[in-house]
Amino acid sequence: MRTMRRANRNLASHAPSGSNAPPEDVSVELQRWLDGEDEKTLVSLIELFGQRGFAMLFVVLLALPALPLPTGGATHVFEAIAMLVALELIAGRETIWLPARWRTLKLAGGRRERFLVSLMKLIRRLERFSKPRLRKVFGHRLSNIAFGLVVIAWCVAAFVAPPFSGLDTLPAMGVVLLSLGVLLEDFLIVVLGLAVGVAGVTLEVVLGGAALHGLSTLF
């Protein structure tokens, strides 16, 4: 069953040209990258996933702010990079461009290593029940534009969330789930990501409005 599911995916694989080997699961490719000897940088991740690097970068960059931990704005650089990449996706670029100082940004080591391990667990859980659903909606110009616009909107929501409030968690998790849905070509996971992101943005707006109203009554 698992092999048949992999074979049904039309995501690009690293099998040699002309090979009938099925594409590997996302978790397998990501684990190979983690176990490899090369430095765990943004550029090495882009080189591994090729055109799928857009969605994979969104997953890795937003996974840290998606954790229910206070970051105090330390993840803003990841959100800024994700917004730049989303703009490139909207513009129709097939390859990802990043400034030199961001290309060498390390994604592993210390706490980042632990968060990547947690991310791997999430991806493997989703892969257990995931299967291609409504595959024809993926990979088109309009769907890529919509994908990029949603990523930007939720990255902005995560970026402007007050430090240590935890309100950046749900918008960031929405981006992670949405991007994994795109990688796995599973529209059900996409819908789940959309629901989580909308809930997070709504919560941020409601609580932010309540806080502003409370402050206004003091003056």
Side-chain angles (χ1 to χ4, degrees):
M1 178 70 71
R2 189 174 179 84
T3 303
M4 290 177 62
R5 183 190 54 160
R6 291 178 185 173
N8 285 333
R9 291 180 185 156
N10 64 359
L11 294 175
S13 71
H14 289 271
S17 178
S19 171
N20 292 323
E24 292 179 304
D25 280 349
V26 174
S27 61
V28 174
E29 293 183 90
L30 190 57
Q31 187 65 60
R32 183 190 297 115
W33 175 72
L34 287 172
D35 294 339
E37 297 181 356
D38 295 337
E39 285 192 315
K40 310 304 180 289
T41 60
L42 284 180
V43 68
S44 67
L45 188 67
I46 293 170
E47 290 173 351
L48 172 65
F49 282 89
Q51 289 187 350
R52 292 179 297 155
F54 285 96
M56 194 66 239
L57 269 187
F58 296 146
V59 171
V60 173
L61 291 171
L62 273 296
L64 188 57
L67 294 175
L69 300 171
T71 60
T75 58
H76 284 348
V77 64
F78 296 117
E79 294 151 2
I81 295 172
M83 285 188 275
L84 172 62
V85 174
L87 285 173
E88 295 181 27
L89 180 62
I90 293 170
R93 286 186 61 91
E94 295 184 358
T95 57
I96 299 173
W97 175 87
L98 289 175
R101 64 190 181 93
W102 283 354
R103 290 172 61 86
T104 56
L105 183 66
K106 293 185 178 181
L107 299 171
R111 292 182 178 179
R112 294 176 184 177
E113 191 81 34
R114 291 195 292 272
F115 110 80
L116 283 174
V117 171
S118 299
L119 176 61
M120 289 291 298
K121 292 179 180 178
L122 171 63
I123 294 175
R124 289 190 177 113
R125 289 194 192 102
L126 290 176
E127 286 177 337
R128 288 193 188 104
F129 76 86
S130 172
K131 63 181 180 180
R133 296 180 174 96
L134 294 178
R135 295 172 64 190
K136 59 184 178 182
V137 305
F138 297 99
H140 299 291
R141 183 79 179 95
L142 289 179
S143 61
N144 285 341
I145 291 174
F147 182 28
L149 289 173
V150 172
V151 169
I152 290 176
W154 292 348
C155 283
V156 170
F159 192 94
V160 301
F164 303 107
S165 67
L167 292 176
D168 59 337
T169 299
L170 287 180
M173 178 57 71
V175 173
V176 171
L177 291 172
L178 174 63
S179 302
L180 285 173
V182 171
L183 279 170
L184 299 172
E185 291 190 324
D186 189 341
F187 195 72
L188 180 60
I189 298 178
V190 169
V191 171
L192 176 61
L194 290 172
V196 171
V198 169
V201 173
T202 302
L203 182 64
E204 188 173 338
V205 170
V206 170
L207 293 182
L212 289 176
H213 178 73
L215 288 174
S216 66
T217 59
L218 297 176
F219 299 98

